[in-house]
Amino acid sequence: MYVLGVDVGGSKTQCAVADETGKIFAEGFGGEGNYQVCGIETASESMSKAVMDALAGAGITLKDVSYAVFGISGADGPEDFQVLIPAVRKIMGTDNFKIVHDAWLGLRIGTEDYTGVVSICGTGAGHAGRNRQGRELTLRNLDYIMGNMGGGGEIENKALHYAFRSEEGTWLKSRLEEEVPKVFGVETMEEVCAYLLHNELTKEQSYRLPVVVFTLAKEGDAVSAEIISRMGYEEGKYAAAVLKRLGMCDEHVPAVLIGSLFRTGEPLLIDSYMKAVREDVPGAYPVIPKDAPVTGAVKLALDFLKNGE
């Protein structure tokens, strides 16, 4: 018996083929998969490539797969599932799959009993939770206008914002005004301004800007440190809200942290996050899983298959 676990993120897609014990035999990879950002055609191509490459690596076909779980960034509400279910059905050729928000993959690998809160901080941010009675809650996790914030996208925006303000003297001086131009291959913020008036950020620039902020924060730049710690605190308030709504404020409860920014282990980010959570849930404690989220998709596939879902 084989199952598929698929982790569909904002920057990459990963698929794992495993047997009934959870042993992974092969993996496949694809590109960006949040259809809200890249479109359903690109997301479908990324998922299909990851799945087919994994199957080829394991030497099996879709007919050999008993069940699959797709943890998808952007699977936020009913309208998203209306788009994603047909796309995944076309890839799988059957209905032997389940789509979940990718946050649930993190909760599955970060806890023994699949309860607590999970927060993603990577390309974007998202939060979900499950209490001991099995009640689940996922925040909207959409965009800033609809209440969401956090992740690399927010850091890149603030890196630029405060680099310009440093250069113009409208806020605290920061080394961002020296380091941000290097990301664009220029020497001054004036040249960065001219570039941005006529060009979109490239993927490489979007990746490098958060790296600049984290690096400068470690080197003592106060503005960069504040960007990171403030974001950590805000993400912690989201997590605390999930736990409050699930009635878990008086419990010793895990806060599972996944995503590329949390995986840095940066104290400015994580300590600020936990400070915000513990203001409402004193017994909360952080968990940064060692396993990749795709392992959570495999485990959920086996769980669902076992429970007949």
Side-chain angles (χ1 to χ4, degrees):
M1 181 189 78
Y2 296 97
V3 298
L4 295 183
V6 190
D7 174 25
V8 187
S11 58
K12 72 172 183 178
T13 301
Q14 182 176 5
C15 175
V17 177
D19 65 11
E20 66 274 10
T21 69
K23 179 182 178 181
I24 293 176
F25 288 92
E27 293 182 324
F29 297 88
E32 57 189 329
N34 186 330
Y35 92 97
Q36 296 174 356
V37 177
C38 65
I40 191 59
E41 289 186 7
T42 297
S44 296
E45 290 172 3
S46 297
M47 290 188 286
S48 179
K49 182 180 184 304
V51 168
M52 296 309 164
D53 285 357
L55 292 173
I60 64 172
T61 69
L62 284 169
K63 292 181 180 179
D64 300 307
V65 176
S66 298
Y67 204 74
V69 163
F70 287 71
I72 303 180
S73 175
D76 299 307
E79 66 282 355
D80 298 308
F81 286 86
Q82 290 175 7
V83 174
L84 292 168
I85 288 174
V88 173
R89 183 182 292 122
K90 185 175 180 180
I91 294 169
M92 295 297 296
T94 67
D95 286 322
N96 62 338
F97 65 85
K98 186 177 182 69
I99 296 174
V100 299
H101 188 276
D102 58 340
W104 297 112
L105 310 188
L107 189 65
R108 185 62 181 83
I109 58 173
T111 62
E112 291 293 330
D113 59 359
Y114 197 41
T115 63
V117 65
V118 56
S119 295
I120 302 172
C121 195
T123 304
H127 309 268
R130 186 175 187 271
N131 65 20
R132 303 187 194 286
Q133 291 73 46
R135 182 181 164 213
E136 297 180 350
L137 172 66
T138 304
L139 298 184
R140 290 190 183 93
N141 300 322
L142 294 171
D143 56 23
Y144 183 82
I145 292 175
M146 297 185 188
N148 182 254
M149 62 186 296
E154 179 185 334
I155 290 184
E156 70 184 46
N157 288 337
K158 288 189 173 179
L160 290 164
H161 177 86
Y162 287 107
F164 280 116
R165 293 191 68 177
S166 174
E167 186 259 354
E168 289 189 316
T170 63
W171 193 245
L172 301 176
K173 292 297 285 184
S174 167
R175 285 180 58 205
L176 285 167
E177 71 172 276
E178 303 167 11
E179 297 300 321
V180 165
K182 297 176 183 178
V183 173
F184 297 87
V186 298
E187 296 183 358
T188 68
M189 289 304 298
E190 188 64 33
E191 291 173 288
V192 174
C193 180
Y195 176 91
L196 292 175
L197 287 174
H198 302 286
N199 302 278
E200 298 286 338
L201 286 174
T202 66
K203 289 183 180 180
E204 180 182 0
Q205 291 162 350
S206 293
Y207 170 80
R208 289 180 61 192
L209 285 169
V211 173
V212 167
V213 174
F214 273 78
T215 300
L216 292 181
K218 285 181 179 294
E219 295 175 356
D221 184 74
V223 173
S224 297
E226 175 62 19
I227 290 173
I228 293 173
S229 61
R230 183 62 187 176
M231 187 176 72
Y233 187 84
E234 292 286 354
E235 298 313 301
K237 297 310 289 184
Y238 287 108
V242 170
L243 293 172
K244 283 192 289 185
R245 290 175 61 183
L246 289 173
M248 303 179 77
C249 288
D250 297 325
E251 298 183 24
H252 188 59
V253 59
V256 181
L257 310 179
I258 61 173
S260 58
L261 299 188
F262 278 140
R263 284 200 303 271
T264 65
E266 172 55 56
L268 284 169
L269 180 65
I270 296 172
D271 291 351
S272 297
Y273 171 95
M274 290 308 305
K275 178 179 184 294
V277 176
R278 287 174 175 152
E279 287 175 353
D280 295 297
V281 190
Y285 60 94
V287 175
I288 301 179
K290 294 181 179 179
D291 292 334
V294 73
T295 304
V298 166
K299 290 183 176 181
L300 285 175
L302 291 171
D303 291 345
F304 293 143
L305 194 60
K306 179 181 177 180
N307 296 329
E309 296 188 31

